[in-house]
Amino acid sequence: MRPNKRDELISKALLVFCENGFHATGMDKLVAETGVSKTSMYKHFRTKEDIILATLRLRDYNFRSWLYHWLEAVSDSPYEQLLAIYDALEEWFALPEFNGCMFIKASAEYQDVADPIHIQSAEHKRVLTEHVARIAKAAGAAHPDALARQLMILKEGAIIMAVMGHSENPAQDAKVAARILIDADLAA
């Protein structure tokens, strides 16, 4: 099925926001970069914030679908899936279009915890953490929720280190630390 005009606009806006950030991307830039008229833009979205929220929802769906399928394809073992999170990150970091996490950027640009954009970004991380906790529980973790939070801290730190270039392979550095945390929790 061919995507509709609104879906195409969201996909194009996602790329523009990823490349330029949120505050630095005004409506004029969105219009120019997406090839959509202002009239058409406002037909689909009342405000720039509405477009941002739609792009965050699309990015959330795309990222989680990719990651979950990636983990399931790697192994049936929950233990191996927990470690494979960092192999997936390594693959993501190697992509030419990798420029960091859209949700980290959004929450940094919209810091008010009551802002809908900040809330949407936090929700993405919450849902990922819950998924990791389910995998940790299936692996036999003594403290799956705590372990999931710790593994997510490593994941987020690896993303930041990849963007900043402070490590040759931040995903594998995080994986080494993750293995220690996972093994310790499984032995508890």
Side-chain angles (χ1 to χ4, degrees):
M1 183 167 75
R2 186 176 181 274
N4 64 35
K5 216 37 164 167
R6 185 178 191 280
D7 293 340
E8 288 178 19
L9 174 57
I10 294 168
S11 293
K12 289 177 181 179
L14 173 66
L15 297 174
V16 176
F17 287 130
C18 280
E19 187 174 313
N20 301 295
F22 300 101
H23 288 313
T25 304
M27 290 302 276
D28 289 336
K29 183 156 188 78
L30 275 174
V31 166
E33 296 284 330
T34 62
V36 175
S37 70
K38 268 192 182 177
T39 304
S40 185
M41 183 82 66
Y42 283 112
K43 175 183 166 193
H44 296 290
F45 301 99
R46 291 181 314 119
T47 65
K48 182 176 115 176
E49 286 71 24
D50 289 341
I51 299 169
I52 293 170
L53 289 168
T55 61
L56 288 172
R57 284 189 290 274
L58 176 62
R59 180 64 184 146
D60 171 62
Y61 175 81
N62 289 345
F63 185 82
R64 287 190 300 116
S65 294
W66 168 76
L67 181 63
Y68 295 176
H69 287 109
W70 205 99
L71 297 177
E72 290 168 4
V74 167
S75 177
D76 291 335
S77 161
Y79 177 85
E80 292 300 325
Q81 288 178 356
L82 290 174
L83 291 172
I85 291 168
Y86 306 95
D87 298 325
L89 290 179
E90 182 177 21
E91 182 178 289
W92 179 36
F93 298 165
L95 295 174
E97 64 271 14
F98 172 76
N99 62 359
C101 174
M102 190 173 192
F103 301 97
I104 292 172
K105 291 176 183 182
S107 63
E109 288 193 47
Y110 294 87
Q111 295 182 11
D112 181 351
V113 295
D115 188 293
I117 293 169
H118 190 95
I119 292 167
Q120 182 72 36
S121 298
E123 178 67 6
H124 168 77
K125 301 301 184 181
R126 186 190 66 72
V127 170
L128 279 176
T129 304
E130 286 179 353
H131 186 76
V132 173
R134 284 191 295 276
I135 298 171
K137 185 175 182 179
H143 309 98
D145 294 333
L147 179 60
R149 289 189 305 273
Q150 294 164 356
L151 296 177
M152 286 294 290
I153 289 169
L154 291 173
K155 174 192 162 293
E156 300 306 315
I159 293 168
I160 292 167
M161 296 301 276
V163 170
M164 298 180 82
H166 289 296
S167 172
E168 189 174 310
N169 194 333
Q172 291 306 307
D173 291 344
K175 184 176 181 178
V176 170
R179 185 182 303 275
I180 293 167
L181 290 171
I182 295 165
D183 289 348
D185 195 82
L186 292 176

